Amino acid sequence: MKNCILFLSIFIFLGVNPMANAKTLERPSEKNDRNAPIKLIFIHHSVGGNWLAHNYGRLVSELNKNNYYVNDVSYGWEPSILTDNIVKKIKRKILGKLGRANQGAYGIGNRTDIGQMPDWFLGPDSDLIMDAIYSENRETDIFGDHSNSTSSNPIPNPGKKIENQIVMFKSCFPNTLLRGNPDDSAAQLTKPVRNFTAASEDHTVANAKRVFNDILTYFSNHPDKFFVIITPPPQAKLPKEGKIARGFCNWLVHDWLKENEYQYKNVMVFDLFNVLTSGHSSSQNDFGQEDGNHHRIWNGKVQHIVNTENNLLVYPTKNGDDHPSPAGLQKATQEFVPLLNYYFELWQEKLQ
């Protein structure tokens, strides 16, 4: 321990500037040529990885087909600038020995629960984190091959110096284990609860709504970026048969932006929760059918519809695993991409 403290003191004494090796990137012009590939980055964990994968949810292939080049980050990710020289690498090892390797920007990819979202967008290291997200050119492979070059609609990287313009963020299914009541108002504490996990007693409807209300400040300060919030997927068993989670997701889709009188067009919500609560079986979805629960473009209009009184996962994998099956995630792909096109183009028109 004494040696660790000594090395840490030496590092602090050196006063290394973490931005000294920052790369110069090209920000996309205000109005994009829609014929040119748009760079998108997805922040996710395991369900998101399965959704992207060519042999599972097929999201990368469908996004490529619609001219989106896909990057993503997941477990273990952190800004590369934190370890881009020997001194920083030593610091990283020391922090690991001190049990501080998952604080601030360090190990931020491990922290995607709703209660941890402020670390990404509002925390003291949020500028460092999000600048790294915009510049990231990474395709994770821990959930299987889903690179752009091997998709059924391969697309080249439009340029490593071009920033990701679309940022998708998804918390995983434990985040549907919300406490409280579905119509609880956002917490009004002067000092809101922060950095809580989905397993925490602080993971309440009130605190979760407060998190989303607060991060709108970041989104409004970055009108040149397009942000996509994906609701947490459902589970096969949930408190009050999923009614709490259903209420919260409905609030995100219908009320979140309206309640905050949000004036920009650079934020959209896709209700993955709702999409995965209807279907015929774990292996047969109800994509393209009039009945069921959907979030999609239908007859030329946005449709968020709940025809089936079910708030639980219809697509579990083997042995009741709450990771949605390929059929469920393929339904999500087909409903999500046209919706993304619609909202992205509305935002582009706003920039004119």
Side-chain angles (χ1 to χ4, degrees), residues 68-246:
Y68 299 100
Y69 181 88
V70 183
N71 289 308
D72 70 308
V73 298
S74 189
Y75 295 104
W77 181 86
E78 60 190 22
S80 60
I81 198 170
L82 295 174
T83 53
D84 64 358
N85 64 43
I86 187 62
V87 177
K88 293 178 185 179
K89 289 177 180 178
I90 292 172
K91 178 183 178 181
R92 183 72 176 84
K93 288 184 178 181
I94 292 171
L95 290 175
K97 290 181 179 296
L98 296 176
R100 292 166 52 193
N102 277 293
Q103 295 181 14
Y106 290 101
I108 186 66
N110 296 325
R111 307 196 302 276
T112 62
D113 283 351
I114 290 171
Q116 297 165 327
M117 290 178 74
D119 281 355
W120 293 82
F121 301 110
L122 300 174
D125 295 312
S126 60
D127 286 343
L128 186 153
I129 292 165
M130 292 308 297
D131 283 348
I133 285 294
Y134 298 142
S135 65
E136 185 64 76
N137 278 278
R138 175 175 177 174
E139 305 166 52
T140 61
D141 57 8
I142 58 175
F143 300 109
D145 179 20
H146 50 251
S147 70
N148 298 274
S149 62
T150 58
S151 79
S152 59
N153 301 281
I155 187 172
N157 190 331
K160 290 190 175 182
K161 289 186 177 181
I162 294 177
E163 290 189 345
N164 297 301
Q165 190 166 18
I166 300 174
V167 178
M168 291 174 55
F169 194 105
K170 187 190 73 61
S171 298
C172 215
F173 56 75
N175 286 268
T176 53
L177 295 169
L178 289 154
R179 294 165 173 78
N181 298 300
D183 57 353
D184 286 346
S185 299
Q188 299 297 317
L189 298 173
T190 303
K191 186 176 181 181
V193 181
R194 292 284 190 257
N195 198 31
F196 56 90
T197 69
S200 165
E201 291 187 0
D202 290 323
H203 186 61
T204 65
V205 170
N207 286 336
K209 286 183 177 181
R210 176 61 183 272
V211 166
F212 276 99
N213 287 345
D214 288 348
I215 64 175
L216 277 178
T217 300
Y218 182 88
F219 299 159
S220 66
N221 288 334
H222 294 80
D224 60 326
K225 299 295 183 184
F226 188 79
F227 299 93
V228 181
I229 299 298
I230 309 294
T231 61
Q235 300 185 61
K237 294 181 180 179
L238 284 170
K240 297 186 179 179
E241 294 300 303
K243 291 180 180 179
I244 301 172
R246 166 73 73 186

